[in-house]
């Protein structure tokens, strides 16, 4: 109990310092990520790793490094991290029986801490039966419809966000490690094409903001590399957790482009490609952003 | 009768429409004449308002130029982006015809690779949101107002 109080006070102090930093943003040019270290309960996270030799980025940074200290502080202590409300809900849902088969996730998978360890880090993953890569959301819904005979959850529902947060947490600290070879190659390449394509009335691509201009301010926003190692992520703008596809959709709408379908092949391919750009970054689920 | 006609002619003159004919509205994006990286004549036929241009420049739903550019003349606005160069003294680097070309379609001057959107183009986009399909980001009037404002940015 004692440590809880101390650490949340520390977080509040850091938050106050962060607010001062926000005020300075307008005048001080931030040329890149800040140097803060991410550690939660003594466990350190890799927020900076060398980019792949043949890759587009010399250094790969987590989005956490581009947030101000007030936002960063919320992720330093799980008691201050609003995403944990969903984690708790997800933990309850894990062992809740649902559907005609009379099963819960736990009936088949047992202890999530063991069976779900590393799952988030490898998503999206090739699924032989489907003949395509599946995201974590797809996989969860497959289990619900096929194994539990339960109705699928809506992509952005509280249940789905809670379950992806809870499952994601079991990989926290593990490096992103998606496969891009074999049958995944075509999907990776498709995602890459989408990443570099200019779209919308503003005629911009993901790479324009997240590869060529990360580290710079775009009005009030400090551009990151647009990595997805922290998803689902709590965003103060959303006042809740949001999925990877919701974020993609938001970025596309901002440049006045018609987004691809949430859960569709294009966003799945894009998710795979963006994940591959962040290989080696620690999973931070549930991360906190603004 | 003669008197009435000439009053109408004066009116047309002051509206700057005479050179383009009575029925012509602003030049459409397809009609814009570009030569050597310059658009020499006003899209509306008349000069824009720098005061209004200043508003369109900072408005997030219109020019939103501050998203990418620092502009000391708008110090009272809190957040200035860093994606493009600072626009302080820009009127000394580019003439009016060039500034018009930059705002109409930055690609004319900077090449296809530039991040800066084309503010007076209404087609050739991939997957534009339905409500922006076939539309320009700014109207001809707003472009002229912004050009007039940029002309005031001297060091």
């Amino acid at each position: 109990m004692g440590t809880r109080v101390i650490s949340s006070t520390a977080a509040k102090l850091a938050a106050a310092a962060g607010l001062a930093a926000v005020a300075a943003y307008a005048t001080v040019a931030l040329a890149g990520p800040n140097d803060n270290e991410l550690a939660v309960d003594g466990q350190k996270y890799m927020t900076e790793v060398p980019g792949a030799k043949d890759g587009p980025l010399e250094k790969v940074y987590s989005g956490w490094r581009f947030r101000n200290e007030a936002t960063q502080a919320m992720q330093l202590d799980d008691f201050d991290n609003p995403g944990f409300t969903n984690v708790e809900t997800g933990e309850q849902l894990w062992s809740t029986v649902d559907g005609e088969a009379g099963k819960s996730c736990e009936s088949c998978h047992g202890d999530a801490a063991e069976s779900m360890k590393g799952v988030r880090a490898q998503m999206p993953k090739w699924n032989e039966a489907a003949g395509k890569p599946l995201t974590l959301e797809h996989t969860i819904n497959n289990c619900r419809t096929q194994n539990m005979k339960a109705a699928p959850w809506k992509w952005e529902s509280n249940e789905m966000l809670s379950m992806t947060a809870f499952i994601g947490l079991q990989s926290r600290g593990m490096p992103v490690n998606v496969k891009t070879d074999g049958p995944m190659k075509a999907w990776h390449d498709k995602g890459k094409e989408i990443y570099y394509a200019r779209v919308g009335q503003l005629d911009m691509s993901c790479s324009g903001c997240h590869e060529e201009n990360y580290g710079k301010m775009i009005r009030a926003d400090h551009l990151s590399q647009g990595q997805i190692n922290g998803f689902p992520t709590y965003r103060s703008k959303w006042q809740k957790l949001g999925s990877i596809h919701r974020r993609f959709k938001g970025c596309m709408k901002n440049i006045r482009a018609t987004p691809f379908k949430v859960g569709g092949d294009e966003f799945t391919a894009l998710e795979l490609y963006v994940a591959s750009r962040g290989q080696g970054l620690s999973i931070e689920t549930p991360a906190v952003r603004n | 009768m003669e008197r009435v006609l000439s009053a109408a002619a004066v009116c047309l003159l002051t509206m700057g429409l005479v050179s383009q004919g009575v029925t012509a509205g602003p030049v459409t994006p397809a009609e814009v004449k570009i030569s050597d990286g310059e658009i020499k004549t006003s899209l509306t036929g008349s000069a824009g308002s720098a005061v209004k241009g200043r508003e369109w420049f900072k408005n997030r739903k219109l020019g939103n130029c501050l998203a990418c550019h620092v502009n000391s003349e708008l110090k009272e606005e809190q957040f200035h982006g860093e994606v493009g160069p600072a626009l302080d003294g820009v009127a000394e680097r580019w003439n009016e015809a060039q500034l018009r070309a930059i705002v109409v379609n930055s690609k004319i001057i900077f090449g296809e690779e530039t991040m800066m959107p084309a503010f007076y183009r209404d087609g050739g986009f991939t997957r534009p949101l339905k409500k922006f399909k076939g539309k320009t980001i700014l109207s001809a009037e707003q472009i002229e107002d912004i050009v007039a404002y940029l002309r005031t940015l001297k060091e």
Side-chain angles (χ1 to χ4, degrees):
Chain A
M1 212 38 214
T3 49
R4 202 190 279 198
V5 173
I6 289 168
S7 50
S8 79
T9 311
K12 285 199 186 96
L13 281 175
L19 287 178
V22 175
Y25 267 17
T27 45
V28 180
L30 289 173
N34 57 42
D35 290 330
N36 296 338
E37 269 192 19
L38 175 56
V40 185
D41 285 336
Q43 187 192 354
K44 280 197 182 144
Y45 291 80
M46 303 290 278
T47 58
E48 176 179 338
V49 295
K53 263 198 214 80
D54 50 352
L57 301 165
E58 206 179 304
K59 274 210 171 166
V60 174
Y61 296 103
S62 158
W64 186 83
R65 294 281 294 277
F66 298 84
R67 307 290 37 104
N68 67 45
E69 288 180 5
T71 305
Q72 286 187 332
M74 291 169 77
Q75 207 184 306
L76 292 176
D77 187 324
D78 293 347
F79 290 106
D80 294 321
N81 183 334
F84 273 81
T85 317
N86 285 91
V87 168
E88 280 164 30
T89 307
E91 187 171 12
Q92 282 158 18
L93 287 170
W94 180 258
S95 47
T96 304
V97 171
D98 194 10
E100 282 165 27
K103 287 181 183 153
S104 69
C105 316
E106 196 182 25
S107 318
C108 293
H109 299 288
D111 183 3
E114 276 175 33
S115 64
M116 294 295 125
K117 198 175 163 63
V119 168
R120 168 74 268 169
Q122 300 170 37
M123 289 288 172
K125 198 171 163 185
W126 184 256
N127 182 290
E128 200 53 50
K132 52 165 142 174
L134 297 184
T135 64
L136 185 54
E137 288 90 342
H138 290 132
T139 311
I140 290 168
N141 269 344
N142 269 359
C143 269
R144 287 187 56 81
T145 54
Q146 292 166 20
N147 303 327
M148 297 168 73
K149 307 279 180 243
W153 282 325
K154 290 224 168 69
W155 201 272
E156 216 58 40
S157 65
N158 195 50
E159 289 89 346
M160 184 59 94
L161 291 167
S162 298
M163 189 55 76
T164 53
F166 174 66
I167 292 178
L169 183 73
Q170 314 311 319
S171 302
R172 199 157 65 144
M174 294 175 73
V176 172
N177 183 18
V178 289
K179 286 222 160 63
T180 57
D181 55 358
M184 294 293 264
K185 173 100 178 28
W187 288 77
H188 166 274
D189 293 353
K190 174 91 200 301
K192 183 174 181 180
E193 197 185 303
I194 295 171
Y195 193 86
Y196 286 98
R198 281 169 174 264
V199 291
Q201 193 193 33
L202 300 196
D203 200 29
M204 293 180 191
S205 61
C206 313
S207 59
C209 286
H210 295 298
E211 178 174 317
E212 287 161 39
N213 286 294
Y214 73 82
K216 291 186 192 161
M217 296 301 289
I218 188 159
R219 198 95 190 221
D221 291 314
H222 193 195
L223 281 171
S224 74
Q225 291 182 344
Q227 300 288 359
I228 54 175
N229 54 310
F231 280 82
T233 286
Y234 179 88
R235 245 190 118 191
S236 43
K237 192 184 160 198
W238 293 334
Q239 289 289 301
K240 61 185 290 218
L241 288 183
S243 71
I244 294 166
H245 292 195
R246 178 175 184 190
R247 189 37 129 146
F248 290 172
K249 190 174 155 184
C251 280
M252 288 189 78
K253 280 188 141 176
N254 283 345
I255 51 176
R256 301 185 174 181
T258 306
F260 294 106
K261 200 170 153 275
V262 166
D265 286 352
E266 290 91 350
F267 271 173
T268 301
L270 186 59
E271 180 179 331
L272 170 66
Y273 177 66
V274 176
S276 79
R277 292 172 69 97
Q279 300 273 36
L281 285 177
S282 299
I283 296 291
E284 293 173 22
T285 311
V288 182
R289 304 286 186 258
N290 53 306
Chain B
M1 201 51 201
E2 257 202 50
R3 265 202 157 155
V4 177
L5 272 177
S6 59
V10 170
C11 188
L12 284 176
L13 260 176
T14 54
M15 284 165 70
L17 290 173
V18 163
S19 61
Q20 289 169 37
V22 181
T23 52
V27 176
T28 65
E31 290 166 354
V32 175
K33 284 201 187 65
I34 304 151
S35 57
D36 299 327
E38 296 191 340
I39 300 173
K40 291 210 166 61
T41 49
S42 163
L43 303 178
T44 59
S46 50
S49 148
V51 175
K52 285 189 193 162
R54 192 173 191 270
E55 289 303 311
W56 316 146
F57 185 97
K58 66 180 181 194
N59 186 310
R60 284 182 158 81
K61 294 232 147 70
L62 292 172
N64 198 15
C65 312
L66 284 179
C68 297
H69 294 287
V70 168
N71 176 6
S72 309
E73 201 281 316
L74 276 162
K75 272 201 284 297
E76 75 274 16
E77 285 288 311
Q78 215 188 348
F79 299 107
H80 296 208
E82 306 167 328
V83 172
L87 294 184
D88 300 355
V90 79
E92 281 151 16
R93 294 192 287 279
W94 305 93
N95 67 34
E96 181 183 324
Q98 290 168 328
L99 289 172
R100 185 176 290 111
I102 291 174
V103 185
V104 164
N105 185 352
S106 54
K107 278 76 181 165
I108 296 168
I109 304 235
F110 305 130
E112 281 303 317
E113 292 305 304
T114 185
M115 263 283 276
M116 183 162 155
F119 289 89
Y120 201 62
R121 218 177 89 189
D122 60 2
F125 302 117
T126 310
R127 302 183 71 81
L129 269 177
K130 225 186 190 161
K131 64 174 166 177
F132 297 112
K133 208 170 175 182
K135 300 206 173 121
T136 58
I137 301 174
L138 295 172
S139 69
E141 290 77 11
Q142 288 163 344
I143 300 274
E144 291 306 326
D145 293 342
I146 287 180
V147 170
Y149 172 63
L150 292 175
R151 295 283 294 148
T152 69
L153 301 180
K154 302 197 172 131
E155 223 116 36

